[in-house]
Amino acid sequence: MSILVTGGAGYIGSHTVVELLNMGKDVVIVDNLSNSSILVLDRIKEITGKRPEFYQIDISNKELLRNVFEKEKIEAVIHFAGFKAVDESVKYPVMYYENNIMSTLSLIEIMTEYDVKKIVFSSSATVYGINNPSPLVEEMPTSATNPYGYTKVMLEQILKDVYVADSDWSIALLRYFNPIGAHESGMIGENPLGIPNNLMPFIAQVAIGKRQELSVFGNDYDTVDGTGVRDYIHVVDLAFGHIKALEKISESKKVHIYNLGSGVGTSVLELIKTFEVENKIQIPYKIVPRRAGDVAICFANADKALNELNWKTTKTIADMCRDTWNWQSKNPNGYRQS
Ligand code: NAD
Ligand code: WQD
């Protein structure tokens, strides 16, 4: 029996596939490579010695997805596939609703057809909206301020409704905080196309000389140094959170909701400083006005994942900075050769 990983060629998916293969699981990846590279498969093989089954398909295509379920024996699904850029979702809301919602609906439909009723879903801390104070706990009300966020709020609701209608389903909704870092081998990592929106990929591109300087969005927040505070989580810790969630949904049929974060906030300036010290590289930056839609502080209460999954983060901000730079410096153009 295999674990089907949608979006398994992407950033978080590829790191999770590595850990699944390391623990002896059979893995089938489905990915349309809209935001990833086929070369990831070679890298996964180099790290683990194993090549997962791979289907280059769009999961909203039910015929092609059905074909995968027909050929493979799937026991559970980890569902990463989707678009994830907040700004882009504001510009192209229909594209986001279509890709994120419709593809998940077809996935649920085909899973039901094949009686596969275990799913781990990539949700996000974005579902806490802008009104809940940190530390954020799973019981807080959810909301959104942009189409990307709404897709996560809606998909959580859809999956809860699926369970209400059929309690044979077992579902984990994992709310990631801010995933950064890379596999310690430097073979796989985050590979943004174009100008990065997120802080760590931008820092990494300044460090490699692709961008001249970082813009720090506001230094007048009510925080330790005036810059925004976030809960950064190493992508390998995050990958292990999925393994634990998979075990959980196998032992108890329910909708399980977990924050996957460290429980600790780090400011923009603290992250820059740690990157500089750890990698001995200067990151030139300038302070610019706040970015619309940003909250001052966002970090998790991570107790539920610790108590129920026996999972917590193990890696430090210094580890995240070191591993990001190891990946970026070994792969200045990501998976592209030049
Ligand atoms: P990513 O873009 O690197 O990976 C997503 C993968 O899904 C890509 O390989 C892409 O090609 C594929 N994909 C997209 N639409 C598809 C479709 N219709 N059919 C098949 N494949 C498709 O993103 P990531 O950072 O690895 O994020 C994975 C998941 O985690 C996403 O659902 C994202 O919303 C969620 N998430 C990410 C973050 C983050 O900061 N990276 C935070 C919270 C939640
Ligand atoms: C972190 C901090 C910025 C870039 C986003 C999504 C969220 C989730 C994770 C998927 C903030 C500051 C950033 C820059 C900066 N994704 N910053 N200069 O906004 O917490 O979360 O990614 O679910 O939905 O909204 O992450 O990395 O963009 O920003 O000063 O060039 O860095 O203001 O304080 P964010 P981020």
Side-chain angles (χ1 to χ4, degrees), residues 83-87 122-127 146 148-149 152 176-180 196-203 213-218 221 227-232 266-268 271-272 286 288-291 293-298:
F83 293 152
K84 62 164 180 178
V86 171
D87 277 15
S122 300
S123 188
S124 167
T126 196
V127 303
N146 56 69
Y148 168 72
K152 294 300 181 193
Y176 315 155
F177 280 68
N178 289 59
I180 59 171
N197 292 307
N198 298 116
L199 178 59
M200 188 54 126
F202 206 105
I203 292 177
E213 65 180 354
L214 171 74
S215 294
V216 173
F217 300 140
Y221 287 109
T227 64
V229 166
R230 296 291 182 274
D231 187 340
Y232 296 97
T266 302
S267 77
V268 175
L271 190 68
I272 296 171
K286 63 170 187 257
V288 301
R290 293 179 179 192
R291 181 172 68 177
D294 273 352
V295 292
I297 301 180
C298 173

Side-chain angles (χ1 to χ4, degrees), residues 11-12 31-32 34-36 58-59 80 84 99 148 152:
Y11 173 47
I12 306 170
D31 198 306
N32 63 3
S34 57
N35 196 36
S36 48
D58 192 306
I59 57 162
F80 294 103
K84 62 164 180 178
N99 192 53
Y148 168 72
K152 294 300 181 193

Side-chain angles (χ1 to χ4, degrees), residues 13-312:
S14 58
H15 287 81
T16 304
V17 167
V18 162
E19 300 311 332
L20 287 166
L21 292 172
N22 280 344
M23 61 184 287
K25 291 274 183 196
D26 290 324
V27 175
V28 175
I29 295 177
V30 290
D31 198 306
N32 63 3
L33 302 181
S34 57
N35 196 36
S36 48
S37 164
I38 189 77
L39 295 178
V40 169
L41 298 174
D42 297 338
R43 303 292 181 88
I44 290 173
K45 169 91 194 293
E46 276 187 60
I47 296 171
T48 65
K50 296 173 203 161
R51 179 178 283 272
E53 287 298 319
F54 174 68
Y55 294 83
Q56 185 176 346
I57 61 163
D58 192 306
I59 57 162
S60 54
N61 186 324
K62 288 186 207 164
E63 261 326 295
L64 295 179
L65 193 57
R66 190 174 283 118
N67 179 47
V68 176
F69 277 78
E70 197 57 47
K71 280 201 183 138
E72 308 286 346
K73 290 213 167 349
I74 306 297
E75 61 170 297
V77 176
I78 308 184
H79 178 35
F80 294 103
F83 293 152
K84 62 164 180 178
V86 171
D87 277 15
E88 192 181 54
S89 80
V90 174
K91 272 196 205 137
Y92 306 108
V94 176
M95 185 174 99
Y96 267 67
Y97 288 118
E98 178 154 14
N99 192 53
N100 292 7
I101 309 264
M102 301 305 281
S103 63
T104 305
L105 293 177
S106 40
L107 176 65
I108 294 168
E109 188 180 322
I110 305 299
M111 287 176 69
T112 310
E113 241 176 79
Y114 285 83
D115 203 28
V116 177
K117 294 185 175 173
K118 288 187 218 142
I119 185 166
V120 176
F121 172 63
S122 300
S123 188
S124 167
T126 196
V127 303
Y128 289 110
I130 52 173
N131 293 321
N132 290 306
S134 291
L136 297 159
V137 291
E138 286 85 349
E139 293 73 27
M140 285 174 167
T142 58
S143 65
T145 53
N146 56 69
Y148 168 72
Y150 278 112
T151 69
K152 294 300 181 193
V153 171
M154 287 179 196
L155 287 168
E156 284 202 357
Q157 187 60 48
I158 289 168
L159 287 163
K160 286 178 192 168
D161 291 340
V162 165
Y163 175 78
V164 170
D166 178 358
S167 58
D168 231 17
W169 278 81
S170 196
I171 297 170
L173 308 177
L174 303 183
R175 296 176 178 165
Y176 315 155
F177 280 68
N178 289 59
I180 59 171
H183 191 264
E184 63 173 5
S185 64
M187 303 285 296
I188 55 174
E190 191 168 11
N191 183 29
L193 296 169
I195 302 171
N197 292 307
N198 298 116
L199 178 59
M200 188 54 126
F202 206 105
I203 292 177
Q205 292 200 2
V206 172
I208 200 81
K210 273 196 175 170
R211 318 256 161 223
Q212 274 197 325
E213 65 180 354
L214 171 74
S215 294
V216 173
F217 300 140
N219 67 349
D220 56 352
Y221 287 109
D222 187 13
T223 62
V224 56
D225 54 21
T227 64
V229 166
R230 296 291 182 274
D231 187 340
Y232 296 97
I233 170 173
H234 195 295
V235 66
V236 172
D237 276 336
L238 189 57
F240 282 114
H242 291 76
I243 310 273
K244 294 288 194 177
L246 208 51
E247 286 166 11
K248 187 61 159 183
I249 59 170
S250 299
E251 71 201 27
S252 117
K253 289 182 183 171
K254 211 178 131 175
V255 180
H256 302 274
I257 305 179
Y258 298 108
N259 286 340
L260 296 185
S262 69
V264 177
T266 302
S267 77
V268 175
L269 293 183
E270 286 170 339
L271 190 68
I272 296 171
K273 177 78 5 235
T274 308
F275 191 98
E276 290 184 330
V277 169
E278 189 63 29
N279 299 315
K280 301 181 182 56
I281 298 174
Q282 282 288 109
I283 303 297
Y285 68 85
K286 63 170 187 257
I287 307 292
V288 301
R290 293 179 179 192
R291 181 172 68 177
D294 273 352
V295 292
I297 301 180
C298 173
F299 65 92
N301 174 320
D303 292 351
K304 193 174 175 210
L306 177 61
N307 294 337
E308 294 189 14
L309 299 180
N310 193 25
W311 172 92
K312 65 176 167 58

